[in-house]
Every structure is written in structure tokens, then in C-alpha cells.
């Protein structure tokens, strides 16, 4: 009978130890969840460029966005070079119809038509338009694809010289390229020179003549 009180105290001591262990386990689990979950979603968001996600959400039909290929260069934080995003997709329909659906989708997504001095920087075939939204600029180029026949007997294919009508008949569909960059890194958002001296041949720092002192009137002798 004398062992009864001691046994009860030992049981209470063991029960208290188990309870503290459970509390410690819950605390460690909470710390891990609070730390790991935000890091996981942060890394997930970091790996997915929001610009490409926006292009994925454009309201274009599936026939106008076949086999997209994405390319990225530069830094998201504009270290040395700002980030340039480029997407190329195939369309199963004509360049005219494809350009129309893309321009409509961009307008619905909040992009505004933009007509800078160099859009495009050089003359391109097909439809080339420029757009702006918030801190971004976008170039949309839709053109007929380049037809390359498959190789024969392992030999490399030779691109034939076809007239535009024949090329359009044998190579249907169109090719779409979208380029998105930060507006602060787009030279076209800055003031452009009115005249390029290299094109006009005008010396930006002209001299007064062959002899700048030749036209001066000599002072009378004293």
C-alpha cells in the first residue's frame, strides 16, 4: 500500500513529459510549415515569368498558338541588361487572320497600340505592330512561314526559290513572334534625334571656314 502514492506521481510525471514532447513536436512542425511553404511558393513564382504567364492567358484560339517556343535573355532586375522575353508560335491560318486575332487579344488584355519611330527597326515582311502596357513594350510580328522541304536520302534540304504565290500554296499557315521588354530598356521610349548626321552628311561641328582668322579685319597701324 505504501507504493501507491509514488506510483501515481511517477505516472503523472510521465504524462507531463509526453505532453511537453507533443507540444515541442507541434512547435517544430509549425516552424517548418511557416518557413518551407512560403519558400516553396516563392521559388515557384520566381521560376515562372509573369510575362509568359500573361501571354499564355491571351484570348487567342488554339490554332493560332501551336508549339510555342520561349527564349529569355537579360536580368529581371535590369542588372546590366533588362530582361527580354521572346515567344515564337505557329499558326494554322493566314498571316492576315492570325494578326487580327492577336491584335484583338492584346487590346482585350490592356495593351495599347504604340507607333514609335522605329517599329520595326528595319522593313519586315508581313504585319509588324508595337504595343505598350504599364512598364512593358511589346513587338508583334506575323508573317508567312519559310518553307523548307525535308531532306532526301540524308542530304540536307535546299530551299527552292519560289514566287510568293507558289510559296503561299505549298506552305500554309503563319509564323508569330512576340517580343516583350521593359520600357526603360527600350531605346524607342527615349527622345529620338530629328536627323541622323551620318545619313545627311552634315558635320555636327562645322568650322567657320578654311581659315577661321582669314576674314578678320586687321587693326590700323598705330
Amino acid at each position: 500500500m505504501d507504493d501507491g502514492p509514488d506510483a501515481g506521481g511517477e505516472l503523472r510525471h510521465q504524462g507531463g513529459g509526453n505532453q511537453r514532447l507533443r507540444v515541442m513536436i507541434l512547435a517544430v512542425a509549425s516552424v517548418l510549415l511557416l518557413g518551407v511553404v512560403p519558400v516553396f511558393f516563392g521559388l515557384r513564382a520566381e521560376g515562372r515569368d509573369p510575362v509568359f504567364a500573361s501571354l499564355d492567358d491571351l484570348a487567342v484560339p488554339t490554332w493560332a498558338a501551336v508549339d510555342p517556343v520561349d527564349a529569355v535573355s537579360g536580368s529581371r532586375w535590369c542588372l546590366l541588361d533588362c530582361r527580354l522575353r521572346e515567344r515564337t508560335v505557329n499558326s494554322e491560318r493566314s498571316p492576315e487572320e492570325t494578326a487580327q486575332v492577336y491584335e484583338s487579344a492584346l487590346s482585350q488584355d490592356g495593351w495599347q497600340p504604340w507607333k514609335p519611330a522605329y517599329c520595326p527597326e528595319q522593313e519586315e515582311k508581313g504585319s509588324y505592330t508595337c504595343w505598350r502596357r504599364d512598364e512593358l513594350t511589346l513587338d508583334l510580328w506575323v508573317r508567312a512561314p519559310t518553307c523548307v522541304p525535308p531532306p532526301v536520302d540524308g542530304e540536307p534540304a535546299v530551299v527552292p526559290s519560289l514566287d510568293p504565290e507558289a510559296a503561299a500554296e505549298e506552305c500554309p499557315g503563319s509564323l508569330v513572334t512576340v517580343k516583350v521588354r521593359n520600357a526603360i530598356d527600350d531605346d524607342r521610349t527615349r527622345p529620338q534625334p530629328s536627323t541622323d548626321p551620318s545619313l545627311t552628311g552634315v558635320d555636327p561641328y562645322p568650322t567657320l571656314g578654311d581659315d577661321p582668322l582669314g576674314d578678320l579685319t586687321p587693326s590700323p597701324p598705330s
Side-chain angles (χ1 to χ4, degrees), residues 2-87:
D2 294 339
D3 296 337
D6 294 338
E10 184 176 356
L11 290 176
R12 287 193 298 272
H13 179 72
Q14 292 178 354
N18 292 335
Q19 185 175 3
R20 286 194 296 271
L21 180 61
R22 287 194 296 269
V23 172
M24 291 178 62
I25 292 175
L26 290 175
V28 171
S30 300
V31 171
L32 290 177
L33 288 176
L34 292 175
V36 172
V37 172
V39 170
F40 170 77
F41 285 104
L43 293 175
R44 183 178 179 183
E46 176 68 19
R48 181 170 177 78
D49 194 301
V51 172
F52 287 127
S54 177
L55 296 179
D56 291 337
D57 294 336
L58 283 179
V60 296
T62 55
W63 55 259
V66 181
D67 300 328
V69 177
D70 294 336
V72 178
S73 62
S75 168
R76 180 178 297 184
W77 296 275
C78 290
L79 300 176
L80 297 181
D81 294 319
C82 290
R83 175 162 289 189
L84 170 64
R85 298 94 164 172
E86 184 172 351
R87 169 171 291 184

Side-chain angles (χ1 to χ4, degrees), residues 62-184:
T62 55
W63 55 259
V66 181
D67 300 328
V69 177
D70 294 336
V72 178
S73 62
S75 168
R76 180 178 297 184
W77 296 275
C78 290
L79 300 176
L80 297 181
D81 294 319
C82 290
R83 175 162 289 189
L84 170 64
R85 298 94 164 172
E86 184 172 351
R87 169 171 291 184
T88 302
V89 300
N90 294 306
S91 173
E92 298 174 350
R93 302 192 183 181
S94 67
E96 294 78 13
E97 186 175 0
T98 302
Q100 184 177 0
V101 298
Y102 268 92
E103 291 174 8
S104 176
L106 289 173
S107 297
Q108 294 177 15
D109 199 39
W111 291 90
Q112 298 294 327
W114 180 42
K115 297 181 180 181
Y118 298 101
C119 178
E121 296 182 359
Q122 58 185 8
E123 186 175 357
E124 301 286 1
K125 296 181 179 179
S127 171
Y128 200 109
T129 55
C130 297
W131 305 73
R132 287 196 67 171
R133 189 186 69 179
D134 301 330
E135 75 282 2
L136 300 175
T137 66
L138 182 147
D139 289 33
L140 173 66
W141 183 23
V142 185
R143 71 276 190 192
T146 302
C147 298
V148 179
V152 179
D153 296 333
E155 296 295 329
V158 178
V159 180
S161 58
L162 300 176
D163 60 278
E165 295 182 359
E169 293 176 358
E170 296 185 13
C171 195
S174 54
L175 191 62
V176 181
T177 297
V178 179
K179 294 183 179 181
V180 182
R181 71 193 77 185
N182 294 65
I184 61 173

